[in-house]
């Protein structure tokens, strides 16, 4: 293996779960955090707990098997370690490719290799987020965030090893793309994100180089969904749902105009509002729920945070978390609910946007949010169907996602046409 390969995030390494992160690095970071002399034991283990979901990382459940701990020490028997890498994406792509007899229309091709350098920036942005939260001294559980123990930033564009170590939250569940949240669950999600958006409305944080510098959201999706890749994603969506082929064809004819990052970039100035922190990946699988009570435990995955208008995040959440019918019926009510929560968390501070501006942001960003959700309705859905236990489960997945996808494609075209007039 060449030195270049050793530094790459697109090839397997000799570390934890075939990444380039060494056991010794995580061990030393945890020892420093807990100020312990204990070490990882011979029965330490790691397992992938987000197989088939993460595009830019592997999420490992690590059991350190501590040895040598003092009698009064309480060290975690399990931790979650987020390992930035592209090998998960390559695995998903290979499985889809094999399922279609080697048809490379499902392959992300060179996009994976363009994407890899961006992953380092995304990881460092997520660390900047947790660093700010830690400095705010607001309890993570109150904010519905996992407790973060320690981390390692990427030092430069060739550094092969970065990681984030968090508490293990037992008995949690993430909603797959084919699950529809109930009203109370959706309200919980809106309230939690509104609180975080209000907390991070801070000039120092929003101007942080890793957050408000280069737009990580645009950089990631430009790399992931260039002209060739977005057409492949749409082709795969049509393969997944042949009955939607006509709609997909209409979108394909306009896709280069619909995926309009310059419009998103000028949104705040155009609408007359101040920018806020945006999650960038606020979809159903980044909401973690108590497996029994179905109460929201935390919102995760802050790699794609950026500074901009608030509407795209809410659009992405609604597109993936509730049915198309319910989204169309309730989206204005949802925006009013979100604004009410955000206003309450802002307290006496001046608001960066009004309710009307929030609505304008939402509808302005909706076509782009729809387009960027296509991978969830195409490759991610098909991978879920491949992993389904039987035909009944596959049909359940197909039926639910088809309804969401049809409404999404129709609304993408309709709102894009309206936006072109303004």
């Amino acid at each position: 293996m060449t030195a270049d390969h050793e530094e790459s995030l697109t090839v397997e390494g000799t570390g934890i779960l075939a990444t380039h992160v060494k056991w010794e690095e995580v061990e030393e970071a945890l020892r420093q955090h807990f100020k312990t002399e204990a070490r990882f034991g011979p029965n330490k283990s790691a397992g992938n707990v987000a197989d088939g979901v993460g595009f830019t990382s592997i999420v490992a459940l690590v059991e350190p098997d501590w040895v040598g701990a003092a009698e009064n020490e309480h060290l975690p028997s399990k931790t979650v370690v987020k390992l930035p890498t592209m090998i998960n994406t390559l695995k998903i792509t290979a499985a889809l490719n094999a399922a279609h007899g080697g048809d490379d229309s499902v392959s992300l091709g060179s996009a994976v290799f363009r994407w890899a350098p961006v992953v380092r920036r995304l990881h460092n942005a997520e660390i900047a987020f947790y660093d700010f939260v830690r400095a705010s001294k607001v309890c993570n559980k109150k904010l519905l965030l996992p407790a973060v123990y320690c981390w390692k930033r990427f030092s430069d564009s060739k550094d092969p090893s970065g990681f984030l170590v968090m508490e293990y939250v037992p008995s949690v569940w993430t909603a797959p793309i084919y699950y529809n949240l109930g009203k109370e669950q959706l309200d919980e999600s809106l309230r939690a994100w509104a609180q975080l958006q209000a907390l991070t409305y801070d000039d120092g944080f929003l101007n942080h180089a890793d957050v408000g510098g280069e737009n990580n959201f645009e950089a990631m999706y430009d790399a992931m969904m260039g002209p060739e890749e977005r057409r492949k994603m749409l082709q795969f969506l049509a393969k997944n749902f042949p009955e939607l082929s006509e709609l997909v064809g209409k979108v394909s004819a306009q896709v280069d105009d619909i995926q309009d990052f310059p419009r998103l970039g000028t949104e705040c100035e155009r609408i007359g509002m101040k920018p806020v922190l945006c999650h960038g990946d606020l979809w159903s699988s980044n909401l973690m729920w108590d497996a029994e009570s179905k109460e929201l435990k935390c919102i995760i995955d802050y790699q794609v945070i950026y500074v901009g208008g608030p509407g795209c995040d809410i659009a992405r959440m609604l597109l993936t978390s509730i049915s198309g019918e319910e989204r169309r019926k309730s989206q204005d009510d949802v925006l009013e609910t979100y604004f009410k929560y955000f206003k309450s968390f802002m307290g006496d501070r001046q608001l960066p946007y009004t309710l009307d501006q929030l609505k304008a942001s939402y509808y302005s960003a909706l076509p782009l949010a729809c387009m960027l959700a296509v991978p969830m309705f195409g490759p991610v859905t098909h991978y879920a169907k491949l992993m389904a236990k039987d035909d009944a489960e596959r049909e359940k997945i197909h039926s639910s996602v088809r309804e969401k996808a049809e409404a999404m494609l129709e609304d993408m075209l309709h709102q894009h046409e309206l936006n072109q007039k303004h």
Side-chain angles (χ1 to χ4, degrees), residues 349-368:
R349 291 182 292 166
Q350 183 177 358
L351 296 175
Y353 54 80
T354 65
L355 175 58
D356 285 344
Q357 288 170 331
L358 173 62
K359 290 181 178 181
S361 172
Y362 173 85
Y363 287 108
S364 175
L366 182 59
L368 176 62

Side-chain angles (χ1 to χ4, degrees), residues 49-54 59 169-181 185 283-292 294-301 320-321 380 384:
V49 293
D51 190 26
V53 177
V59 180
V169 182
S171 303
V172 292
W173 169 81
T174 58
I177 186 69
Y178 50 89
Y179 180 87
N180 293 326
L181 300 182
Q185 290 177 308
W283 73 294
S284 54
S285 281
N286 284 330
L287 307 173
M288 298 185 71
W289 305 87
D290 185 282
E292 293 185 6
K294 295 297 187 288
E295 292 181 352
L296 185 63
K297 299 286 284 187
C298 52
I299 299 177
I300 60 171
D301 204 353
T320 58
S321 301
V380 172

